[in-house]
């Protein structure tokens, strides 16, 4: 077939009926092509911390919806975050739904699935790399995002879709940030909120040093 011209000899290609492809995908719709591969080794966070630039990390805790994880990964890569750090009870960022939601960005940005190691990693970033840890919360007493600034490395910590960031994780952070809501709206989807926070911290006034 002409579509196979120039393909790598070590990458096998199989043709199969749509009914079997749908069984493999687990849903009735598929785009006509499926792929599988071996996951890359997880990078060490130390290797990501280039001294000459300011780093912004996205950290998730108990973020269970794969569509949200995929969208967060896509947004983080789009705004130039250094990496996505996943803590306890987070959805697999390389699941079918998350990969689709990330539009392939999960294959571009470093993703560290840290589980219970997330908390000591955040504390290490603070002590060894002067990172500020920001808890994203729904709290009238928190700092308003548009009035917040920092020139340090920072980590934006997001929580669960239903209950937000658990108190024990808020206590780990240095500062609490909120996006003010109007007209009776009480909150935003976690991935939408992630985009707003990242836009603020990576805007021209707080640009990355690169």
């Amino acid at each position: 077939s002409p579509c196979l011209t120039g393909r790598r000899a070590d990458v096998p290609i199989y043709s199969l009926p749509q009914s079997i492809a749908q069984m493999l995908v687990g849903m009735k719709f598929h785009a006509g092509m499926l792929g599988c591969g071996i996951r890359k080794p997880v990078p060490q966070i130390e290797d990501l911390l280039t001294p000459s630039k300011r780093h912004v990390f996205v950290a998730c805790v108990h973020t269970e919806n794969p569509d949200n994880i995929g969208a967060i990964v896509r947004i983080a890569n789009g705004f130039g975050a250094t990496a996505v750090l996943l803590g306890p009870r987070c959805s697999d960022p390389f699941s079918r739904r998350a990969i689709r939601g990330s539009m392939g960005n999960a294959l571009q940005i470093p993703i560290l699935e840290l589980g219970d190691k997330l908390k000591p990693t955040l504390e290490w970033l603070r002590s060894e790399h002067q990172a500020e840890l920001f808890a994203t919360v729904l709290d009238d007493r928190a700092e308003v995002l548009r009035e917040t600034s920092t020139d340090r490395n920072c980590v934006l910590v997001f929580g669960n879709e239903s209950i937000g960031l658990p108190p024990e994780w808020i206590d780990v952070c240095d500062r609490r940030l909120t996006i003010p809501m109007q007209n009776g709206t009480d909150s935003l989807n976690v991935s939408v909120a992630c985009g707003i926070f990242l836009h603020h911290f990576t805007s021209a006034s707080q640009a990355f040093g690169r």
Side-chain angles (χ1 to χ4, degrees), residues 1-204:
S1 171
C3 67
L4 304 184
T5 302
R7 74 175 180 87
R8 285 177 44 168
D10 60 336
V11 178
I13 296 178
Y14 304 97
S15 176
L16 63 160
Q18 183 171 340
S19 59
I20 297 178
Q22 290 176 177
M23 289 174 59
L24 290 173
V25 176
M27 57 189 297
K28 292 184 178 180
F29 170 81
H30 77 91
M33 296 183 67
L34 302 174
C36 63
I38 299 173
R39 298 190 187 194
K40 294 180 180 179
V42 177
Q44 297 297 310
I45 195 167
E46 296 92 335
D47 298 332
L48 303 176
L49 289 156
T50 307
S52 60
K53 60 174 283 190
R54 174 172 166 265
H55 295 273
V56 176
F57 292 89
V58 172
C60 296
V61 178
H62 302 179
T63 310
E64 299 174 324
N65 187 305
D67 295 320
N68 284 334
I69 287 292
I72 288 170
V73 168
R74 181 182 182 184
I75 291 165
N77 196 41
F79 282 111
T82 297
V84 176
L85 313 178
L86 300 182
R89 287 173 43 194
C90 282
S91 176
D92 179 0
F94 298 103
S95 68
R96 173 182 58 81
R97 285 176 60 188
I99 284 281
R100 186 174 63 177
S102 79
M103 296 296 288
N105 283 275
L107 306 178
Q108 303 296 325
I109 187 172
I111 302 173
L112 282 66
E113 298 180 78
L114 297 170
D116 292 335
K117 295 181 180 179
L118 177 60
K119 191 172 290 186
T121 298
L122 297 183
E123 293 169 343
W124 175 82
L125 284 169
R126 176 199 287 131
S127 63
E128 298 298 323
H129 294 275
Q130 296 72 53
E132 283 192 283
L133 311 181
F134 292 91
T136 61
V137 297
L138 295 174
D139 189 338
D140 292 338
R141 298 166 296 176
E143 295 179 56
V144 175
L145 177 61
R146 63 175 173 269
E147 300 172 358
T148 302
S149 64
T150 183
D151 57 1
R152 293 166 54 182
N153 294 327
C154 58
V155 185
L156 304 174
V157 186
F158 298 90
N160 177 266
E161 292 86 353
S162 300
I163 63 173
L165 199 57
E168 63 269 24
W169 286 92
I170 296 175
D171 292 342
V172 169
C173 296
D174 305 301
R175 298 163 70 176
R176 304 179 185 190
L177 295 184
T178 193
I179 301 171
M181 297 281 99
Q182 299 184 38
N183 301 321
T185 302
D186 61 354
S187 65
L188 297 172
N189 173 275
V190 64
S191 63
V192 173
C194 177
I196 294 171
F197 279 102
L198 275 176
H199 179 267
H200 177 80
F201 279 96
T202 62
S203 62

